[in-house]
Amino acid sequence: MEKLSEEKFDRKKFLKVLGMGLSLVVLESLLKKVNAEEILSKPGTKKRYAMVIDLKKCIGCGACAIACKQENNVPIGYYRTWIKNNEKGAYPYVRDYYLPILCNHCEDAICNRNCPVSATYKTSEGLTLIDYDRCIGCRYCMVSCPYNVRFAHPYRRTVDKCTFCAHRLKKGLEPACVITCMAKARTFGDLNDKGSEIFKLISTNSVHVLKAEQNTKPHVFYIGLDQMLTEAGKTNFEYMKYYRRNVLKELSLSEKDAEGYFNILKGISNSDREYDYRLKSNT
Amino acid sequence: MEGIIYNAPHEIALGSKIAIYFFLTGVSAASFIISSLAYVFGMEKYKACGKLGAAVAFIVLSIAPLFLIVDLLQPLRFLHLFYMFNFKSPVTWGSILLTIYPINCLVYLYFIYTENKPMTKLFGSIGIPLAVAVHGYTGFILALAKGIALWNTPLMPIYFLISAMVSGTALLIVLSVLKERYFRNVEVINKIFPRIEVDIIYDLRKMLLIFIAIDIFILFSDVLLLFYSTPENYIVAQLLLKGPFSLMFLVGEMLFGMVIPFIIMTIPSLNKNLGVLTFASILVLIGIYFMRYVTVVAGQYVPLM
């Protein structure tokens, strides 16, 4: 004790400590602003959301794609989740294979890294979300994503993609595609919860992720993924169309007709307003 | 076994405006570097075209970012780039560089015209790394989009830089010849830009030849290795050489942009003719534009999923 009191606590040292402390406080407040989206998780619990899709169960009905469009008001011609379909073999040994695709909510998301205004952000639950009030629409994330899951929303005029139905998760519900799947091929859950269904499925089945070589650590796992499906369609250049394509023209619809037929053409759903966790938590 | 039966169509996100932007930054960076030959490295005889180069560098780079802003889905939100940063993103690097570089160009121009030698040298030396960065970062924009096989190669920034040198030199040749041919006796222009001797244009031709040769070598190694790495790369190589981009790539980029100008400019009886040189340089410029367009659009043409 005596030795300590003898040690001079001079002004230089004091200022040094004070400066360090102040900068830490400033740094922390800065960091806090960025991580404000933690509103999703209850305090004290840390979740890591993920999805398992059992391709042996999937019958390719497309209900998940439709449920997603209804839930999230996705415009005509755009998809947050869709199904890739390919057949293999020859009669009598032939089978259809289906591959539902959605945002993989990668742990090391390259879209998150490349977004110039941090509009794409990772929540503490492992979701990759977009702050629609920040997004400037440079579409760099669209070309960065190795899974092509992002699209330019024609009416909101930002980039959009699957959110794992974050507005439903907040209320304790599962994503729309999961509850609608009649074959129960999709399972959603928390990877950190050792008792959850998804933990059981991943532990007791051989699972694959799409494009593991991209090193993005996806959070969508597939059971029974066939190599053929991941390769198919890459040489068919028809699926990539020139940018800002006119979907209505492709469907030969006038805008007025389309507005009459589909309420999903224009406007932004209620759920969209609930996405902006970051902004809501700041106010 | 049939091909894919059902899949969602995707958009090509980055289009011709981005290609034009890449083209313009390339021209600007290269003009700056050529102008620095006179004012930083002390090669006095290039002073005349050094002034022209510095002016081109500034003017072109003032126009270039407009293409980026118009290309945004919400153009007014470009302001977000200046107070919401993500320093990992090459686009943020770009928004910083595109602010600093034109200012540096302007200061450099000012000191050139006030004939302040040490300051010109200082801002010229600051400008060289900035010029390399302002175009090199566009190479990183493409290279860091790691899902796209054509872009995700370490060669991309180098390829972009060398094709920038090609296009910048070609533009300077065209402008010099135009000036000497049509504005030779216009007082105002002669006051701003001194006379450019024919020897200097011949020197620019030599530089252009060297740059085209390096460009051909880099393109060759890029395409060769596209064939022998991942399946995605193989598909891209097919797309370039046989697919919908083959005309633009083989004729536009390679034949017009590299082979014909290279041959024209090496034939001894033709390469002293200024008209032929201009023609070859214009071909080079068209070829480099095709190169930007093919790189940007063909890369996105392969469906990833």
Side-chain angles (χ1 to χ4, degrees):
Chain A
M1 275 311 276
E2 263 179 37
K3 220 179 183 182
L4 264 178
S5 59
E6 268 171 31
E7 212 174 288
K8 272 185 190 169
F9 199 77
D10 57 19
R11 200 165 52 176
K12 224 176 182 179
K13 226 177 197 176
F14 173 73
L15 282 176
K16 221 180 193 174
V17 173
L18 190 74
M20 269 166 74
L22 270 178
S23 57
L24 268 178
V25 169
V26 171
L27 200 72
E28 206 203 332
S29 62
L30 280 175
L31 287 175
K32 232 179 195 169
K33 224 173 186 177
V34 178
N35 289 326
E37 63 273 6
E38 282 181 11
I39 193 169
L40 261 179
S41 64
K42 288 169 200 159
T45 61
K46 201 174 174 229
K47 291 183 173 174
R48 272 197 313 144
Y49 285 129
M51 190 184 279
V52 173
I53 303 178
D54 192 342
L55 298 179
K56 283 179 274 180
K57 287 181 183 169
C58 179
I59 59 165
C61 63
C64 46
I66 293 165
C68 174
K69 280 181 93 91
Q70 281 190 334
E71 178 71 32
N72 298 302
N73 209 352
V74 183
I76 300 176
Y78 298 86
Y79 298 88
R80 284 185 179 187
T81 176
W82 70 95
I83 293 172
K84 212 167 146 181
N85 174 352
N86 206 6
E87 62 182 17
K88 191 164 86 167
Y91 179 82
Y93 305 110
V94 61
R95 209 194 122 174
D96 257 4
Y97 287 83
Y98 306 101
L99 178 64
I101 294 163
L102 68 159
C103 174
N104 284 276
H105 294 271
C106 313
E107 238 164 73
D108 290 344
I110 187 77
C111 52
N112 182 31
R113 185 208 184 278
N114 281 350
C115 177
V117 293
S118 302
T120 297
Y121 59 100
K122 293 293 294 180
T123 70
S124 54
E125 291 90 353
L127 304 188
T128 310
L129 299 180
I130 303 171
D131 187 334
Y132 300 119
D133 288 342
R134 275 183 171 233
C135 178
I136 60 173
C138 64
R139 302 189 297 290
Y140 186 32
C141 53
M142 283 171 68
V143 293
S144 301
C145 176
Y147 306 99
N148 261 167
V149 297
R150 287 169 169 257
F151 60 90
H153 195 296
Y155 303 116
R156 197 196 284 115
R157 309 209 60 74
T158 62
V159 175
D160 198 9
K161 68 165 189 70
C162 162
T163 58
F164 264 169
C165 283
H167 59 289
R168 290 174 62 90
L169 297 182
K170 206 162 87 175
K171 291 173 185 158
L173 302 167
E174 289 191 309
C177 55
V178 176
I179 57 157
T180 206
C181 182
M182 50 176 279
K184 295 205 167 116
R186 292 189 184 222
T187 312
F188 186 80
D190 177 11
L191 284 179
N192 282 354
D193 180 5
K194 305 281 185 272
S196 64
E197 180 70 18
I198 190 168
F199 191 82
K200 197 182 112 191
L201 277 175
I202 289 181
S203 311
T204 55
N205 285 288
S206 71
V207 291
H208 283 87
V209 293
L210 294 175
K211 298 197 180 178
E213 78 278 5
Q214 294 284 344
N215 202 18
T216 51
K217 297 178 192 144
H219 270 199
V220 175
F221 300 89
Y222 293 91
I223 298 173
L225 178 65
D226 193 289
Q227 185 66 41
M228 174 265 302
L229 266 175
T230 60
E231 299 294 333
K234 275 182 189 161
T235 48
N236 193 340
F237 304 127
E238 285 306 301
Y239 292 116
M240 300 301 281
K241 301 238 164 102
Y242 273 98
Y243 114 91
R244 277 180 214 167
R245 66 217 161 90
N246 191 343
V247 177
L248 295 182
K249 206 174 171 187
E250 279 166 35
L251 300 173
S252 59
L253 280 174
S254 79
E255 196 154 325
K256 208 177 173 188
D257 286 342
E259 217 167 332
Y261 296 147
F262 309 98
N263 62 353
I264 54 168
L265 178 67
K266 270 195 177 163
I268 284 134
S269 68
N270 286 331
S271 61
D272 279 338
R273 281 177 213 121
E274 292 175 36
Y275 290 151
D276 299 332
Y277 305 102
R278 179 187 275 184
L279 294 166
K280 276 202 167 172
S281 58
N282 283 349
T283 50
Chain B
M1 203 197 299
E2 289 293 306
I4 192 88
I5 296 165
Y6 173 64
N7 201 354
H10 297 289
E11 288 169 276
I12 287 182
L14 307 181
S16 54
K17 282 186 213 113
I18 301 292
I20 294 171
Y21 164 75
F22 287 168
F23 179 76
L24 293 180
T25 48
V27 166
S28 169
S31 314
F32 191 94
I33 289 170
I34 289 169
S35 96
S36 74
L37 284 181
Y39 292 103
V40 179
F41 298 107
M43 300 180 191
E44 294 288 321
K45 63 173 178 172
Y46 292 116
K47 263 194 171 166
C49 89
K51 275 186 179 171
L52 189 64
V56 169
F58 175 69
I59 294 165
V60 168
L61 210 91
S62 323
I63 302 166
L66 295 179
F67 284 92
L68 284 184
I69 292 169
V70 172
D71 192 59
L72 296 180
L73 291 175
Q74 301 201 28
L76 281 179
R77 285 197 184 175
F78 85 92
L79 288 167
H80 286 194
L81 287 166
F82 298 102
Y83 62 93
M84 298 170 176
F85 295 109
N86 175 10
F87 289 106
K88 282 181 183 172
S89 168
V91 179
T92 301
W93 308 345
S95 60
I96 296 167
L97 288 168
L98 289 175
T99 321
I100 300 172
Y101 175 74
I103 296 172
N104 184 74
C105 275
L106 199 61
V107 176
Y108 176 67
L109 265 177
Y110 172 78
F111 285 125
I112 285 179
Y113 279 100
T114 51
E115 295 192 352
N116 186 339
K117 264 192 180 171
M119 291 308 265
T120 312
K121 194 166 183 178
L122 175 67
F123 282 94
S125 328
I126 297 171
I128 293 170
L130 274 179
V132 171
V134 91
H135 191 63
Y137 102 91
T138 60
F140 284 110
I141 281 191
L142 297 189
L144 279 170
K146 65 178 174 182
I148 292 177
L150 179 63
W151 298 354
N152 186 14
T153 150
L155 270 180
M156 196 43 81
I158 301 167
Y159 182 35
F160 261 50
L161 279 173
I162 205 69
S163 53
M165 292 311 294
V166 171
S167 62
T169 319
L171 186 70
L172 278 188
I173 291 178
V174 174
L175 288 179
S176 309
V177 173
L178 277 182
K179 183 187 163 288
E180 290 307 310
R181 183 83 195 264
Y182 294 105
F183 303 101
R184 202 188 176 97
N185 299 320
V186 183
E187 271 300 305
V188 189
I189 292 178
N190 279 339
K191 239 179 210 171
I192 302 172
F193 303 117
R195 262 198 77 187
I196 297 167
E197 301 295 331
V198 186
D199 284 353
I200 291 170
I201 297 174
Y202 292 156
D203 281 357
L204 285 177
R205 176 192 69 97
K206 272 183 211 154
M207 283 189 227
L208 184 55
L209 278 177
I210 295 167
F211 291 139
I212 291 179
I214 301 174
D215 202 20
I216 289 174
F217 172 69
I218 290 178
L219 185 64
F220 170 76
S221 45
D222 196 18
V223 173
L224 181 69
L225 281 163
L226 280 179
F227 274 103
Y228 299 102
S229 44
T230 61
E232 283 86 359
N233 285 348
Y234 186 77
I235 292 166
V236 171
Q238 296 284 324
L239 178 73
L240 287 182
L241 298 178
K242 289 180 191 164
F245 286 92
S246 57
L247 196 68
M248 272 189 232
F249 179 73
L250 292 175
V251 179
E253 183 181 339
M254 301 208 35
L255 197 66
F256 284 177
M258 295 171 173
V259 180
I260 293 180
F262 194 86
I263 291 170
I264 288 178
M265 286 190 285
T266 39
I267 294 173
S269 58
L270 287 177
N271 63 15
K272 295 282 183 245
N273 184 332
L274 288 184
V276 172
L277 271 187
T278 315
F279 173 70
S281 303
I282 290 173
L283 275 188
V284 166
L285 285 172
I286 294 171
I288 294 292
Y289 176 72
F290 273 118
M291 174 260 163
R292 305 288 185 209
Y293 186 81
V294 167
T295 316
V296 171
V297 179
Q300 301 166 66
Y301 217 72
V302 181
L304 300 176
M305 216 54 246

